[in-house]
Amino acid sequence: MAPVYACSPRQLPVVYHPLYSQLVLPPAHRYPISKYQRLFAHLTEDLTLHQLSDTTSIAPLRVFTPTPVRVEWLKALHQPAYIDALIHNRLPAAKMRRIGFPWSQQLIDRTLMSSGGTLRTVELAHEFGIGIHLSGGYHHAHHDFGSGFCLVNDLALAAKHALTLDGIDTVMIVDCDVHHGDGTATLLADDPNIITFSVHCDKNFPARKPDSDIDLALPRATTTEDYLSAFGGILHLALAQHQPDLVLYDAGVDIHQDDELGYFDVCTQGVYKRDHLVLSHCRQAGIPVAAVIGGGYRSDHQLLVNLHAQLIHTALDVHGIMSSHRL
Ligand SMILES: [Zn+2]
C-alpha cells in the first residue's frame, strides 16, 4: 500500500554531485558530459534569481549529496566478474568500445557516484513523495556487459533498493528515454515486483529490444500529439492495473525533435507535457516518484540543459512548491 502524501514538501529534493561532469573525453566524443554541471548551475542561478522577487519564500530546491554505490550491491545485480573487470580496467577492448567511453578512474568514480545518486533519489521519493536526480538513467547496462554509454544499471539497482523500503511492494519503471530500456528489461525480467515500461522509437538503438513488461514502440517522426496520446493512454492503464507503490521515471529528453540521437518530432512543450503527465498522474494517485534526467544529445549543451530543466520546473509546479514553468 503506497503512503499517501497529503501535502507537498516545502522544497523539492534534488540529488547532485560535481563528479557527474568530471570526466575528460576525447575532443570529438559526442557524449554531453558537461550537461550535469551546467544543469545544476542553471537551476541554482535561475531559481535563486526567481526567489529574489519573493523575500518570504525559502529556496525551492533542497540539494542532497549522494555517496558512491557499494560495489557488493553492483555485484548482486550484475555478474561479479564483469564488475571486477570494469572497476580494475581489465575489460577487453571490445567491451569498452561497446560501452562507448575510454576507461579512466574518473569514469568509474562518476559511475559509482551516479548510481548511488539514483538510490538516494528513491529514498527521498519514499520520504517526500518526489525526488529528482540530476543524472541517472543508464538503462543499456546488462548483466555482464555495458553498452550505449551505460556501465551499470542504476534504474534496476534503484528499483530493487526501493523494494527494501517500508511499504513498497511494487515498483514501476517508466522509461521515456527515446531508446529502448533493453538492459533494464533483461535484468528485471524475472522480478514480479518490478514492472518495466519502456516507450521508445521502434527503429533506433538498441537494435535488439528484449521484452519489457510493457513496451510502447512508436515510429520515427511521431508527432507531439501522437506521442502524448499514445503514452498517456498506456500510462493510465499501466498505473491502474499494477498500482505501484513507487514510480522510477526516466525523463530522457532525447524524444525532442532536435535531438541528435532521436528520431521523434516532439516539440519542447511536448516534452514538458510528458513530464507533467507522469508527475501529476502519480501525485494525484499518491504514488511517490523518483525521477532521473536520462538521455539527451545536442551539440549545444545549453539548449539541452534548458530541456532537462523543464523536469524540475514541472515538479515544482505539480507539487505546489513554486509555479515556475516558463517555456
Ligand atoms: Zn536515450
Side-chain angles (χ1 to χ4, degrees):
M1 186 59 194
V4 175
Y5 297 91
C7 58
S8 285
R10 294 179 67 213
Q11 293 172 292
L12 181 67
V14 298
V15 176
Y16 172 73
H17 197 288
L19 272 182
Y20 295 165
S21 283
Q22 287 173 17
L23 177 63
V24 177
L25 292 173
H29 201 283
R30 77 185 322 167
Y31 195 84
I33 194 68
S34 78
K35 75 177 182 180
Y36 309 101
Q37 185 274 326
R38 285 173 184 266
L39 175 60
F40 184 69
H42 170 86
L43 290 171
T44 309
E45 188 177 322
D46 189 31
L47 292 170
T48 304
L49 287 176
H50 194 99
Q51 192 197 344
L52 290 178
S53 62
D54 177 4
T55 52
T56 62
S57 70
I58 55 172
L61 303 183
R62 183 172 170 197
V63 181
F64 291 82
T65 304
T67 52
V69 68
R70 291 162 60 172
V71 172
E72 56 264 40
W73 290 11
L74 293 178
K75 290 182 177 178
L77 177 73
H78 292 278
Q79 182 193 61
Y82 165 64
I83 296 299
D84 277 333
L86 177 68
I87 288 175
H88 299 293
N89 191 19
R90 293 198 302 261
L91 277 183
K95 280 204 165 186
M96 281 311 297
R97 276 198 300 277
R98 189 165 189 179
I99 287 171
F101 291 126
W103 192 93
S104 64
Q105 190 58 50
Q106 285 180 321
L107 177 66
I108 301 307
D109 292 345
R110 77 170 293 281
T111 295
L112 299 184
M113 191 61 81
S114 196
S115 288
T118 304
L119 296 185
R120 187 77 181 103
T121 306
V122 157
E123 292 166 356
L124 292 168
H126 179 245
E127 185 176 350
F128 296 106
I130 180 77
I132 296 193
H133 189 199
L134 305 184
S135 178
Y138 300 105
H139 57 171
H140 302 308
H142 290 252
H143 180 64
D144 58 354
F145 67 95
S147 74
F149 308 135
C150 303
L151 288 75
V152 298
N153 197 309
D154 63 312
L155 293 173
L157 201 67
K160 285 185 176 286
H161 182 58
L163 291 175
T164 69
L165 303 176
D166 263 1
I168 299 187
D169 299 321
T170 306
V171 174
M172 183 179 289
I173 298 177
V174 178
D175 185 343
C176 286
D177 189 286
V178 79
H179 304 101
H180 181 255
D182 57 337
T184 316
T186 53
L187 280 166
L188 300 175
D190 297 327
D191 196 327
N193 300 314
I194 302 174
I195 314 301
T196 53
F197 173 15
S198 177
V199 50
H200 51 270
C201 180
D202 62 356
K203 291 192 174 57
N204 200 339
F205 181 90
R208 187 178 160 271
K209 299 176 179 60
D211 289 344
S212 313
D213 293 306
I214 307 165
D215 278 306
L216 174 60
L218 297 170
R220 288 187 177 195
T222 290
T223 61
T224 301
E225 194 173 288
D226 289 348
Y227 181 93
L228 292 172
S229 158
F231 171 58
I234 303 279
L235 177 73
H236 182 79
L237 286 174
L239 291 175
Q241 183 184 346
H242 296 284
Q243 302 196 355
D245 303 309
L246 182 135
V247 161
L248 249 169
Y249 174 42
D250 185 333
V253 298
D254 44 13
I255 64 164
H256 191 269
Q257 57 200 175
D258 296 330
D259 193 88
E260 289 157 20
L261 297 182
Y263 302 109
F264 283 162
D265 191 18
V266 176
C267 66
T268 300
Q269 189 163 20
V271 178
Y272 170 80
K273 285 182 175 174
R274 179 202 63 179
D275 291 344
H276 197 277
L277 199 65
V278 176
L279 297 186
S280 62
H281 197 117
C282 290
R283 170 96 179 103
Q284 282 159 21
I287 304 169
V289 178
V292 302
I293 64 168
Y297 305 91
R298 300 270 287 270
S299 305
D300 186 327
H301 293 183
Q302 199 51 52
L303 288 175
L304 181 60
V305 159
N306 294 344
L307 273 181
H308 281 304
Q310 289 193 140
L311 172 67
I312 289 81
H313 289 293
T314 312
L316 289 169
D317 276 345
V318 167
H319 284 264
I321 299 166
M322 175 190 275
S323 180
S324 67
H325 177 241
R326 302 178 300 282
L327 285 176

